[in-house]
Amino acid sequence: MRKAEVKDIPAIMAMLEESMGNGYMDENKCREHIESPKSFLYVEEDEGKVVASTLYIIENMQSAMDNSKEESEVLSKLSRGEPIIHCKFLCVDKKHQKGGFGRKLITELEAYIEKIKAAGLVYTVLCEYNNAIPAKSIFEKNGFSFRKKLGQVWYEDEDYYCAVCKGRCRCEGYTYFKKIGE
Ligand SMILES: CC(C)(COP(=O)(O)OP(=O)(O)OC[C@H]1O[C@@H](n2cnc3c(N)ncnc32)[C@H](O)[C@@H]1OP(=O)(O)O)[C@@H](O)C(=O)NCCC(=O)NCCS
């Protein structure tokens, strides 16, 4: 695992477009996340090639409420007033999927976040398609617990073309939470 650099932008964008679709994050946003102290954009390499990427963002209360569909009181209690981090995506290059790269990246980044005590709560919204939640095992084995089903949360985003749905996203979203420092 290493921190993403500006030179990684084309590889990250290509993975996102191929596996998740168009309009999930543009190049400018990708650059902002590389430079922002509130973002953790990390990559995994195989033989010098970027094959997996994940983005964790320290969120303010309003965006944590919007993305997790939780009340501020609940989030404050779970995070004990410490920062809340949202894992916005995990994406692996198609040819490298099911090769252990996704698991390795999340396991190493979770260990790093615990080590530097970056948050009180980490959450993610996992998607379901073809009757499976592909990333479920990775997050559960890293200490995340299922919280609730959100429904088709990505459908609201008209600019997002989902690679699985081949149009506006009808995947179901499920929140998974992990309390840090317990
Ligand atoms: C889902 C994804 C992130 C998993 O990463 P990966 O490197 O392929 O997965 P790993 O090889 O580390 O496998 C970890 C576990 O996930 C499971 N898994 C991987 N892809 C899966 C899929 N499409 N459906 C169901 N389970 C899947 C593996 O079987 C393995 O399970 P195990 O712990 O029971 O042995 C990756 O395949 C990917 O980017 N897919 C496309 C985009 C996507 O679906 N993102 C996740 C949104 S929820």
Side-chain angles (χ1 to χ4, degrees), residues 19 90-92 97-103 127 129 134 137-138 141:
S19 294
L90 166 64
C91 189
V92 178
Q97 286 176 7
K98 300 199 176 175
F101 294 100
R103 179 185 306 287
C127 68
Y129 54 86
S137 160
I138 292 178
K141 286 185 183 164

Side-chain angles (χ1 to χ4, degrees), residues 76-139:
S76 295
K77 196 169 165 218
L78 291 173
S79 67
R80 297 178 305 274
E82 288 170 11
I84 300 167
I85 293 185
H86 176 197
C87 170
K88 174 114 168 108
F89 68 73
L90 166 64
C91 189
V92 178
D93 167 55
K94 261 208 164 122
K95 292 192 208 79
H96 291 78
Q97 286 176 7
K98 300 199 176 175
F101 294 100
R103 179 185 306 287
K104 184 167 184 287
L105 186 52
I106 294 302
T107 305
E108 290 182 13
L109 190 49
E110 283 295 326
Y112 176 63
I113 281 170
E114 295 237 15
K115 187 175 153 213
I116 65 170
K117 299 184 175 31
L121 177 72
V122 183
Y123 78 93
T124 187
V125 187
L126 299 184
C127 68
E128 179 189 52
Y129 54 86
N130 302 332
N131 298 316
I133 303 174
K136 179 177 159 185
S137 160
I138 292 178
F139 284 92

Side-chain angles (χ1 to χ4, degrees), residues 10 20 25 27 42 47-49 60 67 104 124 128 134 155 163 171 174:
M20 297 180 69
M25 179 178 75
E27 285 188 24
Y42 277 74
E47 296 178 349
K49 181 184 183 302
N60 62 37
N67 292 321
K104 184 167 184 287
T124 187
E128 179 189 52
Y155 188 78
C171 296
Y174 297 78

